[in-house]
Amino acid sequence: MINYEEIKTNFKGEIETDNATLIKYSRDASIFEVKPACIVHPKNTEDVKALVKWVAERKEKNPELSITARSAGTDMSGGPLGESIIADFTAHFSKTISVQADQATSLQNIYGHHPAEISGHATVEPGVFYRDFEKLTLDKGLILPCYTASKSLNTLGGMIANNSAGEKSLSYGQTKDYVEELHVVLSDGKEYVFGQLDGRELEAKLKITGFEGDVYRKMFRLVKDNYKIIQAARPTTSKNSAGYLLWEVWDKAKFNLAKLITGSQGTLGLVTKIKIKLVKPKPKSELLVIFMKDLKNLGDVVASVVSYHPESFESYDDHTFKLAMKFFPDMLKRMKGNLITLGFKFLPEAWMALTGGVPKLILIAEFTGDTEEEIYQKLVMVQKEVTAKFRLKTHITKDASEAEKYWVIRRESFSLLRQHTHGLSTAPFIDDIIVHPAELPKFLPELNALFANYPSLIYTIAGHAGDANFHIIPLMDLSRVDQRAIIPKLADQVYDLVLKYKGSITAEHNDGLIRSPYLEKMYGVEITALFAEVKEIFDPKNIFNPGKKVGSSLEYSLEHIKKTL
């Protein structure tokens, strides 16, 4: 039992224990339901420190005590679910402290085609919603380009926790590429600042006494002694959020534990402040829309388009498209502008749906530049190649409002599914697979063959075609035992296939309850043992978000699949 009066002694924020609130926080956007003991809303960093100290002092007598950080609750992996204390950071840690433009400096992204010009920085708290943050950055002519499809719903803290990515990541990388500093409360109840260190700065940290020094000494020893196997384990796909990002910590010149904490899903400490890099977006953009009647040439189409270096290259399937047409009024509400005018813009798509000519997959390639003429010339070149090689229907959007309809369908597809599939639940358990784009011609037929073994399974596919990162969302009746039984069986099959092609089981959604049990399958015993060592170094009492990344159990996860909508 938790003595809530004891917590209140040094805690100024709110504590909630009523059943309605506990039920609300027992779910996120995943397939899971885990009821917590209480919800706390820390008012400031001192509250966070006091809470961690309180749990640490009582952990030995009450091993079930823990703290799981949560912000918007949009996580699709079950990452912010826990049975003990949930710390909600949206109530009070919701300030954007500063946004500033700087002289542009180049940051070469090793995965992207466009070197990102860092033109500014922002300092924010983890409970800041991206939608509010973006308004402030755009006022300065800046943007954080690793935003997600759910950018109208998620927070910056969630992006840090998951090492999120999105439609711009083909060119600009993941959240880890933009994190400059993280303020983090560790398991000793003290706040520390983590960021990039050169050799001299690292030497100074290694000489510090106390817990901070221990963390640096042990982590440096771990990455140095295991350097070769850590680098060999690094996924070679353009994105990855599986496991702890050990290969990002040390490159023999720079040492950066903020890269490790990014993507750790709150298992190593509680982030209280974020300093992040910003870029200046290109002022002009237009879309080439490609309508594919089947998937047989998808890999080759992707390769052709990517060779022209689009800034974004996204996709959604016929199920998603039909859903958008079915709930047409809801789609219009999500777009800004005159509803009648917007409605007319959808007439071609509505006619396709009515006449049965819905394409199997719609690809949207965004090209950006300084002038419309520059972009249009490139679009015409791509269009000619795709038309000549593959005989596909294509369309170049005429203006931003026309382009917006395609973006809304892509970005809002999961939200539409959750809100309008009555009697069925969205079941994101194979929702974030990624392979190398060159492998798509071989990978996709094998993936389709797997799904052919489950003819009753309804599912949608959307995602980042340019990265070969697909979000597959089945619709299921999770109250049925036979439906729930599909989850571990199909997940095993899909992940085996992904790893056969040297992909990652999660590009940007992270591990949580759904994928932590599969980390050994992906990385092997040696690397997962290092993950456990990392957890022990930072969190020896297992205070933070237990059962994620390390110490997970597939049986526990399956037992906590929600059975009601």
Side-chain angles (χ1 to χ4, degrees), residues 179-182 193-197 216 255-259:
V179 173
E180 186 154 319
E181 286 182 354
L182 295 177
V193 181
F194 295 99
Q196 181 174 292
L197 305 176
Y216 275 101
F255 188 87
N256 194 340
L257 290 177
K259 298 268 191 179

Side-chain angles (χ1 to χ4, degrees), residues 161-162 219 286 526:
N162 285 338
M219 280 304 308
E286 290 183 33
E526 200 168 17

Side-chain angles (χ1 to χ4, degrees), residues 237-250:
T237 49
S238 61
K239 294 185 290 187
N240 171 64
S241 288
Y244 290 123
L245 308 183
L246 280 171
W247 35 86
E248 299 284 349
V249 174
W250 186 54

Side-chain angles (χ1 to χ4, degrees), residues 339-376:
L339 292 182
I340 295 175
T341 303
L342 291 172
F344 276 111
K345 289 186 180 296
F346 275 95
L347 284 178
E349 285 74 20
W351 179 248
M352 271 198 298
L354 288 170
T355 57
V358 177
K360 185 66 178 175
L361 197 71
I362 295 175
L363 304 176
I364 48 178
E366 180 186 31
F367 290 86
T368 63
D370 294 315
T371 67
E372 291 179 359
E373 182 182 0
E374 167 196 348
I375 302 166
Y376 187 73

Side-chain angles (χ1 to χ4, degrees), residues 27 43 49 57 64 77 103 115 123 135 139 142 252 260 278 292 362 417 423 425 431 451 453 458 466 502 545 549-550:
R27 293 186 178 187
K43 190 152 274 187
K49 290 157 67 174
E57 289 167 0
E64 301 306 312
S77 75
Q103 186 174 353
T123 302
K135 292 174 186 175
D139 283 345
L142 301 167
K252 296 190 176 182
L260 178 73
L278 304 172
M292 299 197 65
I362 295 175
L417 279 171
S425 293
D431 54 288
F451 279 95
N453 295 322
I458 303 168
K502 303 188 185 312
N545 205 11
K549 300 283 186 182
V550 169

Side-chain angles (χ1 to χ4, degrees), residues 15-305:
I15 299 173
E16 298 182 277
T17 59
D18 62 283
N19 195 51
T21 301
L22 298 184
I23 290 172
K24 174 186 172 183
Y25 282 83
S26 69
R27 293 186 178 187
D28 54 4
S30 73
I31 61 175
F32 300 108
E33 183 170 33
V34 180
K35 193 173 182 180
C38 73
I39 313 301
V40 301
H41 305 276
K43 190 152 274 187
N44 49 37
T45 300
E46 291 306 309
D47 264 3
V48 177
K49 290 157 67 174
L51 183 66
V52 171
K53 287 178 182 176
W54 187 89
V55 171
E57 289 167 0
R58 290 155 181 79
K59 182 72 174 179
E60 188 174 344
K61 290 185 177 179
N62 188 353
E64 301 306 312
L65 272 178
S66 67
I67 306 168
T68 297
R70 178 177 174 126
S71 289
T74 57
D75 190 286
M76 297 169 72
S77 75
L81 304 182
E83 294 186 10
S84 188
I85 299 170
I86 304 294
D88 181 356
F89 281 83
T90 57
H92 303 297
F93 280 80
S94 55
K95 301 182 197 68
T96 297
I97 298 166
S98 67
V99 177
Q100 62 185 58
D102 301 326
Q103 186 174 353
T105 58
S106 181
L107 173 72
Q108 179 69 48
N109 185 309
I110 62 171
Y111 301 127
H113 302 296
H114 304 277
E117 272 202 342
I118 300 303
S119 300
H121 295 80
T123 302
V124 300
E125 293 178 330
V128 171
F129 282 87
Y130 184 88
R131 60 177 181 258
D132 301 324
F133 177 69
E134 186 180 58
K135 292 174 186 175
L136 298 175
T137 63
L138 288 176
D139 283 345
K140 299 274 188 178
L142 301 167
I143 198 166
L144 176 62
C146 51
Y147 61 78
T148 68
S150 60
K151 67 175 187 171
S152 63
L153 302 171
N154 69 271
T155 66
L156 272 291
M159 292 176 68
I160 297 295
N162 285 338
N163 186 30
S164 293
E167 63 200 42
K168 298 290 187 186
S169 294
L170 175 64
S171 299
Y172 294 118
Q174 293 187 261
T175 301
K176 67 179 175 60
D177 300 306
Y178 297 90
V179 173
E180 186 154 319
E181 286 182 354
L182 295 177
H183 292 236
V184 187
V185 175
L186 297 185
S187 58
D188 64 343
K190 296 179 182 178
E191 184 186 50
Y192 302 99
V193 181
F194 295 99
Q196 181 174 292
L197 305 176
D198 61 23
R200 183 180 297 177
E201 291 166 327
L202 175 60
E203 283 296 327
K205 289 289 187 184
L206 295 176
K207 294 175 182 176
I208 295 174
T209 58
F211 189 69
E212 182 185 16
D214 287 343
V215 167
Y216 275 101
R217 282 185 289 274
K218 291 175 182 177
M219 280 304 308
F220 180 62
R221 190 180 307 121
L222 185 149
V223 295
K224 183 180 180 183
D225 291 350
N226 300 282
Y227 184 80
K228 286 185 178 179
I229 65 166
I230 287 172
Q231 294 304 320
R234 180 179 193 152
T236 55
T237 49
S238 61
K239 294 185 290 187
N240 171 64
S241 288
Y244 290 123
L245 308 183
L246 280 171
W247 35 86
E248 299 284 349
V249 174
W250 186 54
D251 64 1
K252 296 190 176 182
K254 301 180 293 293
F255 188 87
N256 194 340
L257 290 177
K259 298 268 191 179
L260 178 73
I261 294 165
T262 301
S264 66
Q265 285 198 312
T267 59
L268 305 181
L270 300 178
V271 174
T272 54
K273 192 188 296 183
I274 302 158
K275 185 178 180 183
I276 202 150
K277 302 169 186 174
L278 304 172
V279 304
K280 186 176 182 178
K282 293 289 186 181
K284 304 292 183 181
S285 74
E286 290 183 33
L287 302 184
L288 173 66
V289 186
I290 303 168
F291 304 97
M292 299 197 65
K293 57 191 175 190
D294 55 51
L295 302 181
K296 66 181 181 181
N297 290 322
L298 177 59
D300 295 325
V301 173
V302 167
S304 287
V305 176

